[in-house]
Amino acid sequence: MSEKIPEKEPVVKKNFIHQIVEEELNAGKNDGRVHTRFPPEPNGYLHIGHAKSICLNFGTAQKYNGLTNLRFDDTNPSKEETEYVDSIKEDVHWLGFDWGDREFFASDYFDKLYEFATQLIKEGKAYVDDQDAETISSQKGTPTRPGLESPHRQRSVEENLDLFVRMRNGEFSDGEKVLRAKIDMASPNMHMRDPILYRIMKTPHHRTGDKWCIYPMYDFAHGQCDYWEGITHSICTLEFEVHRPLYNWFIDQLKTDEYRPRQIEFARLNLTYTVMSKRKLLELVKDKHVSGWDDPRMPTVSGLRRRGYTPESIRNFAERIGVTKVDGMIDVALLEHSVREDLNKKAQRVMGVLNPLKVVITNYPEGQVEEMDAINNPENPEAGKRKVPFTREIYIEREDFMEEPPRKFFRLGPGREVRLRYAYFVTCTDVVKDEQGEIVELHCTYDPASRGGNSPDGRKVKGTLHWVSATENVEAEVRLYDRLFLDEDPNGHKDRDFKEFMNPNSLTVLDKCYIEPFVKDSKALDSFQFERLGYFNVDSDSKADKLVFNRTAQLRDNWAKKQGK
């Protein structure tokens, strides 16, 4: 894997974080080093918000010839699994980034963190508290009212050391005791009011097994891991801004020279019609509202990949939305625009019919197969051309025919002539219906002189239809995806469950669709533009005898329309 984004893809535009980095580089701080880290908790799959953070952390390091570590925050074994670790690594690589030999886990530092906690006890800066979490929380006070000191706050160093060792040895049950820092119960910053450093959890860890039954809290672990790894810029989301004084306090107790990592916060990504909480996404998975973490309706990186999003489209989206210090809501249409823009340049064009209506061209020779020249991608002349088989019987979209068409309907109707893309002019001569009066077949005649879509006599037709041969095709299942939620902000209703706003029509499955033979050897994740219909890609559910396509995006671009493009 290469750590470089392809040259045609800009890394990351300068933002306030880059301004900070450049100021420090100009001042000679950290010996000119830039070293970032991406620290996911392996308790779920990554989503588009994490992708923004990945692009920012790796992109910043690349911009200044630095390094990025991948470090898993695995301090809560009750929620973490190896499956999540593997998925995170796959997603980061797929997005185009690599961490070289710098793969770390918070659990790599469990011994050092334990030693540091012991050091704090010896210095009188930490103590064992026998109170339960609810009691401790009730004693925290408010930002304007000091908290109450624990009755165990004045325990001796010797007693605290003894209890902490016994906690580690498993003598106490879950929740019976915790280790707390001794800082300031009157601090205006609630996070400085004797925060918990360690809690008892008799749960096997996915890497360390049963070695530990006490685990460090995130606030205690991540800053120290940053320090030991030589991180220069600890970039995190805005909710950690109030944690920064605690981050710095721990570093101050640990550092032995002038080096210290700097925490910088930025606004997290919020998307319309989307939930970004891993807890809520896990709820959707567990309750089977979706097929899994990689369901193409999910905002997870794996779901977006399966739906047909490209790494370039996500990186370009992350660049477009920028990096700010103010929370806001990004229109999901901008994400959809990014994938359309990318696929428009690279997706192979083919013709597919999703709701087929058979057309018999009565004056076309039976058994004849003609090969029509078709353009693979008008945006990329180097993509060349392909051959599309044309036969007496074809399929068109059912919506492209109306028995009694209105004045501005320029597609097929009785007695009307239209152009078949890359083929001939055809005129509808007869409509065949079943016993219920449903249209089951159309009869048309074709003009042999109009091959290629133009007539020598110069007559014009207003309608051009896509089509697929009824005998030379690939039958496929097509899954049409829509947004998972109908409400712009499903999290914005405090008195209602976010699942109440789920879109019951977020997935429509079409079983008998017909695609031109060009796609027959396609593999999972191959992308196509089905002409006039949208962008589609091959799903991993595909089998040798039945391809499955996911609709990545429709052709209509609402975001570009809003921008007046």
Side-chain angles (χ1 to χ4, degrees):
M1 292 283 181
S2 169
E3 287 196 75
K4 289 187 177 179
I5 293 175
E7 289 184 3
K8 291 184 180 180
E9 297 296 337
V11 180
V12 182
K13 292 178 181 177
K14 187 183 291 188
N15 51 57
F16 79 93
I17 292 177
H18 294 162
Q19 291 172 349
I20 292 172
V21 171
E22 289 183 10
E23 288 171 3
E24 294 183 346
L25 289 174
N26 292 335
K29 188 175 180 180
N30 298 314
D31 299 321
R33 292 188 306 112
V34 174
H35 200 152
T36 63
R37 86 285 180 270
F38 175 60
E41 183 178 358
N43 63 351
Y45 281 55
L46 299 182
H47 55 59
I48 185 66
H50 297 112
K52 174 184 176 180
S53 179
I54 291 167
C55 292
L56 178 57
N57 276 285
F58 282 89
T60 297
Q62 290 173 347
K63 185 177 180 70
Y64 300 103
N65 298 314
L67 300 172
T68 302
N69 294 0
L70 175 63
R71 185 205 312 133
F72 293 93
D73 165 36
D74 56 344
T75 57
N76 187 357
S78 66
K79 296 182 179 180
E80 296 157 3
E81 299 178 15
T82 301
E83 173 193 349
Y84 297 143
V85 172
D86 294 340
S87 73
I88 289 168
K89 291 194 287 188
E90 180 182 5
D91 289 347
V92 176
H93 274 147
W94 178 76
L95 283 169
F97 302 102
D98 187 68
W99 51 92
D101 59 355
R102 297 175 303 281
E103 179 178 314
F104 302 104
F105 293 80
S107 54
D108 294 335
Y109 305 98
F110 279 175
D111 287 294
K112 296 181 75 169
L113 288 166
Y114 181 82
E115 291 171 4
F116 180 41
T118 301
Q119 173 190 324
L120 291 177
I121 294 173
K122 290 178 179 179
E123 294 173 354
K125 297 174 182 176
Y127 63 96
V128 174
D129 196 338
D130 298 353
Q131 300 178 112
D132 59 36
E134 185 177 346
T135 303
I136 292 173
S137 178
S138 69
Q139 294 172 346
K140 280 293 184 85
T142 69
T144 57
R145 177 171 55 82
L148 299 174
E149 292 188 356
S150 166
H152 309 292
R153 198 172 193 264
Q154 302 307 322
R155 273 178 167 153
S156 67
V157 168
E158 291 74 22
E159 185 180 3
N160 282 317
L161 286 173
D162 175 66
L163 289 171
F164 192 45
V165 169
R166 291 166 65 192
M167 284 172 62
R168 176 180 179 174
N169 292 339
E171 292 188 27
F172 307 111
S173 58
D174 288 12
E176 190 175 344
K177 297 184 187 300
V178 295
L179 182 70
R180 298 176 67 179
K182 187 188 291 187
I183 307 179
D184 182 3
M185 289 301 291
S187 172
N189 186 318
M190 301 291 286
H191 296 281
M192 299 296 284
R193 296 186 181 181
D194 290 12
I196 295 173
L197 309 184
Y198 271 89
R199 75 283 206 202
I200 301 170
M201 293 181 66
K202 293 185 177 179
T203 303
H205 189 277
H206 71 104
R207 294 185 75 238
T208 61
D210 294 322
K211 178 180 177 181
W212 296 91
C213 62
I214 58 171
Y215 293 94
M217 301 296 289
Y218 176 79
D219 274 340
F220 182 61
H222 86 286
Q224 284 55 260
C225 294
D226 286 347
Y227 181 82
W228 289 320
E229 291 175 15
I231 301 303
T232 58
H233 300 89
S234 182
I235 303 171
C236 56
T237 45
L238 207 56
E239 65 266 29
F240 289 101
E241 186 173 27
V242 292
H243 296 246
R244 194 196 318 149
L246 181 59
Y247 179 98
N248 291 336
W249 187 86
F250 285 133
I251 297 294
D252 285 341
Q253 314 311 310
L254 185 64
K255 70 188 184 89
T256 57
D257 54 32
E258 290 307 306
Y259 157 72
R260 63 187 295 164
R262 177 175 180 176
Q263 179 174 303
I264 308 173
E265 306 85 17
F266 69 97
R268 67 186 304 162
L269 173 61
N270 297 301
L271 273 182
T272 57
Y273 301 98
T274 311
V275 296
M276 304 283 268
S277 157
K278 278 197 286 187
R279 178 182 60 80
K280 292 180 178 179
L281 295 177
L282 178 60
E283 188 177 336
L284 294 177
V285 172
K286 285 190 171 180
D287 294 346
K288 300 189 183 305
H289 294 290
V290 293
S291 62
W293 285 99
D294 66 344
D295 187 299
R297 293 166 291 181
M298 292 278 273
T300 55
V301 174
S302 58
L304 292 168
R305 177 169 61 243
R306 185 174 176 186
R307 184 156 173 170
Y309 277 71
T310 61
E312 295 82 4
S313 67
I314 294 177
R315 294 201 302 265
N316 290 340
F317 169 72
E319 180 185 326
R320 268 197 180 98
I321 61 177
V323 182
T324 70
K325 288 281 285 186
V326 181
D327 278 325
M329 187 75 78
I330 301 296
D331 191 340
V332 72
L334 177 54
L335 176 62
E336 297 163 350
H337 167 78
S338 294
V339 74
R340 283 191 192 92
E341 183 180 56
D342 189 55
L343 290 177
N344 186 50
K345 296 180 291 187
K346 61 180 64 167
Q348 166 76 43
R349 270 55 167 176
V350 296
M351 290 190 289
V353 175
L354 306 189
N355 189 11
L357 174 62
K358 181 178 279 190
V359 175
V360 179
I361 303 171
T362 55
N363 64 333
Y364 191 86
E366 290 190 35
Q368 178 169 301
V369 179
E370 283 187 89
E371 297 287 338
M372 301 299 184
D373 288 326
I375 298 171
N376 287 335
N377 188 334
E379 302 296 322
N380 179 16
E382 294 180 4
K385 296 183 178 181
R386 68 189 186 282
K387 299 291 186 180
V388 181
F390 183 81
T391 54
R392 175 184 169 90
E393 295 183 356
I394 63 172
Y395 292 117
I396 65 169
E397 290 290 344
R398 189 168 289 273
E399 67 178 24
D400 282 342
F401 175 83
M402 289 187 72
E403 196 168 11
E404 298 179 4
R407 185 170 59 88
K408 292 189 176 181
F409 183 82
F410 298 123
R411 286 167 277 178
L412 196 59
R416 287 194 172 201
E417 186 176 48
V418 297
R419 176 189 295 104
L420 296 178
R421 179 86 157 140
Y422 302 122
Y424 295 102
F425 288 3
V426 296
T427 302
C428 180
T429 58
D430 194 17
V431 179
V432 181
K433 301 181 180 180
D434 62 16
E435 294 178 355
Q436 287 74 41
E438 296 294 324
I439 298 173
V440 294
E441 189 174 286
L442 302 178
H443 289 177
C444 293
T445 57
Y446 85 114
D447 177 1
S450 62
R451 192 180 197 277
N454 293 293
S455 178
D457 63 13
R459 73 182 186 277
K460 304 293 184 182
V461 294
K462 289 187 176 180
T464 298
L465 309 185
H466 65 278
W467 52 274
V468 172
S469 165
T471 54
E472 307 290 323
N473 62 58
V474 171
E475 184 179 318
E477 176 185 305
V478 173
R479 299 170 181 174
L480 304 179
Y481 291 99
D482 201 350
R483 293 168 183 171
L484 192 54
F485 294 93
L486 295 172
D487 191 88
E488 189 174 70
D489 184 10
N491 288 317
H493 308 268
K494 292 182 179 179
D495 57 338
R496 298 179 67 181
D497 189 302
F498 75 101
K499 296 190 296 299
E500 293 180 36
F501 302 99
M502 293 190 72
N503 180 3
N505 300 312
S506 61
L507 171 60
T508 301
V509 179
L510 305 177
D511 187 49
K512 285 190 176 295
C513 303
Y514 299 99
I515 321 297
E516 65 175 84
F518 184 88
V519 304
K520 65 183 174 63
D521 295 322
S522 302
K523 59 185 185 301
L525 302 185
D526 283 350
S527 291
F528 300 91
Q529 184 194 100
F530 290 2
E531 296 198 25
R532 298 178 64 220
L533 299 177
Y535 295 99
F536 295 76
N537 83 309
V538 181
D539 188 78
S540 54
D541 284 344
S542 295
K543 297 179 173 58
D545 59 342
K546 187 69 173 285
L547 287 177
V548 178
F549 287 89
N550 299 321
R551 184 172 66 191
T552 306
Q554 299 183 47
L555 290 180
R556 184 179 180 183
D557 192 337
N558 292 327
W559 184 82
K561 186 177 180 181
K562 288 179 183 179
Q563 307 308 307
K565 294 184 178 181

